[in-house]
Amino acid sequence: MSVTVLRTIREIRDHLANVRHKATVGCVATMGALHEGHAALIHRARRECDFVVVTIFVNRIQFNQSADFECYPRSLERDVDYCDPLGVDIVFAPDETEMYPTPTDTHVEVSRLTDHLCGASRPGHFRGVTTVVMKLFEIIQPHRAYFGEKDAQQLAVIRRMVRDLNVPVTIVGVPIVREPDGLALSSRNQHLSQEERRMATVLYRALEAARTAAGEGECRAGTLKKTAKATLAEEPDVRLDYLEVVDADEMQPIETLTGPARIAVAAWVGETRLIDNIAVSPAESGGE
Ligand code: PAF
């Protein structure tokens, strides 16, 4: 095994001090339970950077329900084995006291972009995300950092944070990886029963239906949402949290498609909350 596992901030800082001046450092921040969606981030980082760091840290402060935090899948040993053949140089897996000495009184918060969608449904979630990502950027000081488009609002919020705070890192968005039946890969999928797993495919079908309507010339967000909701109704046990048409850059709800946009959905399938989104544009369907 060639991947090095480091657990402390001092270790990773010392290690990277000898690397950063002669190599492009890429960072893939994760909460573990790695799957092919993460592999796509790592592959992209591997192609574009000389040195790849994967961080694994289940970040308590971004969970607004403690049960969700407790249940989040943890599999460090398996994750390290997963990283090795992908050519990861370092796995940084700090424990909670390493990342958050108590008391911690400083947080990073992006306003406005976090008012809607997951920001409204999960109060405090994005503050937890931006705080930990900013800490990871300070610790690793990567040249490039890779985030999945499945968490499109998170990606928009992180882009805004680095822009507003002049953080010298290039943020790279990586397209969603889907199962053959369209379900977006997520660590949470492993909580789904067989029946829930089947029901969950309705999310992608609903997004596709709206994208098809947009491709056929429908520009009214209200009508696109109705189209998606008609498909969602095929699975009455899937409980909708939100469905919105938003602009691609800031993820703010829009009324009319006039440029690149996303249709974003969040829904409960059993006890599991899933999110997904799809790119749409006024004239033709946007690709992922
Ligand atoms: O997307 C995730 O897995 C998490 O939100 C992140 C970016 C690793 C921060 O904890």
Side-chain angles (χ1 to χ4, degrees):
M1 187 177 292
S2 55
V3 59
T4 303
V5 181
L6 301 177
R7 308 298 303 247
T8 68
I9 295 168
R10 164 163 289 197
E11 279 172 332
I12 189 158
R13 283 208 164 125
D14 287 352
H15 200 104
L16 290 175
N18 302 319
V19 170
R20 197 176 297 103
H21 63 280
K22 53 179 191 232
T24 310
V25 176
C27 174
V28 177
T30 81
M31 297 202 297
L34 302 183
H35 52 65
E36 281 177 53
H38 298 109
L41 304 180
I42 295 169
H43 284 310
R44 179 84 176 264
R46 196 56 289 170
R47 277 206 305 281
E48 296 179 352
C49 305
D50 305 311
F51 198 90
V52 175
V53 180
V54 169
T55 70
I56 297 179
F57 178 66
V58 185
N59 179 36
R60 181 191 294 270
I61 67 165
Q62 74 184 71
F63 288 81
N64 52 327
Q65 286 175 348
S66 60
D68 192 19
F69 170 74
E70 302 303 339
C71 290
Y72 201 84
R74 290 162 174 82
S75 48
L76 182 58
E77 223 173 289
R78 183 205 152 272
D79 289 342
V80 172
D81 290 346
Y82 191 86
C83 285
D84 197 38
L86 300 179
V88 172
D89 295 289
I90 290 183
V91 167
F92 176 52
D95 67 19
E96 200 159 339
T97 50
E98 184 69 11
M99 284 301 278
Y100 295 115
T102 45
T104 291
D105 296 321
T106 307
H107 294 90
V108 178
E109 190 158 11
V110 174
S111 54
R112 202 171 59 81
L113 271 63
T114 57
D115 288 349
H116 304 286
L117 310 180
C118 291
S121 305
R122 305 181 63 192
H125 166 68
F126 284 118
R127 177 171 122 132
V129 170
T130 42
T131 298
V132 80
V133 169
M134 192 65 202
K135 283 170 73 78
L136 291 168
F137 286 171
E138 288 291 347
I139 294 164
I140 296 163
Q141 297 178 25
H143 299 93
R144 299 171 75 79
Y146 297 80
F147 296 90
E149 287 179 356
K150 183 167 95 52
D151 296 301
Q153 190 177 15
Q154 168 173 284
L155 178 60
V157 167
I158 291 170
R159 281 193 206 282
R160 185 53 49 99
M161 174 185 80
V162 304
R163 196 202 70 173
D164 288 355
L165 297 181
N166 310 99
V167 187
V169 56
T170 302
I171 303 298
V172 182
V174 177
I176 297 174
V177 181
R178 297 184 182 281
E179 300 277 9
D181 60 9
L183 182 68
L185 293 195
S186 163
S187 306
R188 293 176 192 273
N189 293 351
Q190 54 184 278
H191 294 315
L192 301 172
S193 69
Q194 214 177 344
E195 175 58 3
E196 290 166 350
R197 166 71 186 73
R198 187 198 60 70
M199 283 167 19
T201 58
V202 78
L203 298 184
Y204 181 63
R205 290 204 307 282
L207 294 175
E208 268 290 36
R211 174 155 73 172
T212 302
E216 287 166 356
E218 181 55 69
C219 286
R220 291 164 299 179
T223 309
L224 294 174
K225 287 197 272 186
K226 263 192 206 147
T227 304
K229 281 181 183 170
T231 301
L232 284 170
E234 291 168 14
E235 293 294 350
D237 290 339
V238 170
R239 285 141 27 235
L240 187 62
D241 176 358
Y242 64 70
L243 175 77
E244 273 303 342
V245 183
V246 294
D247 75 273
D249 184 31
E250 296 196 335
M251 302 291 287
Q252 299 290 307
I254 54 173
E255 304 257 304
T256 312
L257 274 190
T258 52
R262 281 189 183 264
I263 305 181
V265 66
W268 290 91
V269 184
E271 295 303 303
T272 308
R273 183 175 176 278
L274 298 178
I275 59 171
D276 199 352
N277 69 84
I278 203 165
V280 285
S281 56
E284 54 188 5
S285 54
E288 275 189 0

